[in-house]
Amino acid sequence: ADGYYEYMMSECVYSTSDYSDMVFLRSYSFNKDVFIQFNSTVGKYVGLTEFGVMNAERLNKDQALLQGLKAQVDTVCRPNAQNSDSSVRDKA
């Protein structure tokens, strides 16, 4: 169909059982192309296109927003990973 497709995806990425390498990512896409991404390790938005760079500059000025996104590792990612992992281990 003709039209535009925009979406945001948040994900928690890790590979160690102690979650020491856990990273929170939030990506914004337009027509399947990621134009901006927040990475909790980097601690700020990174623009991947001209439009994304413009928005990253604007969003990175909001320190409260950045602090809240960085906190997602401890408030959302780690607790959910622990619940999910324990459910899998309990079934093994």
Side-chain angles (χ1 to χ4, degrees):
D2 293 335
Y4 300 104
Y5 184 64
E6 183 178 12
Y7 66 97
M8 181 268 299
M9 181 172 65
S10 296
E11 56 188 323
C12 302
V13 180
Y14 63 99
S15 61
T16 60
S17 60
D18 67 353
Y19 313 118
S20 61
D21 65 340
M22 187 166 282
V23 178
F24 173 75
L25 301 172
R26 178 166 287 170
S27 303
Y28 296 84
S29 300
F30 181 76
N31 286 352
K32 299 183 183 180
D33 292 324
V34 177
F35 64 91
I36 190 172
Q37 183 178 61
F38 176 84
N39 179 320
S40 64
T41 303
V42 176
K44 65 179 184 176
Y45 281 97
V46 175
L48 306 172
T49 66
E50 184 177 342
F51 180 68
V53 168
M54 178 185 69
N55 280 280
E57 289 173 356
R58 178 181 55 82
L59 291 168
N60 287 334
K61 292 177 184 175
D62 187 343
Q63 291 302 310
L65 172 66
L66 298 178
Q67 290 301 321
L69 289 169
K70 285 189 263 186
Q72 295 293 303
V73 170
D74 294 319
T75 60
V76 175
C77 293
R78 197 164 280 120
N80 283 313
Q82 290 169 337
N83 287 338
S84 176
D85 289 353
S86 68
S87 296
V88 170
R89 278 192 298 271
D90 292 345
K91 304 285 185 220

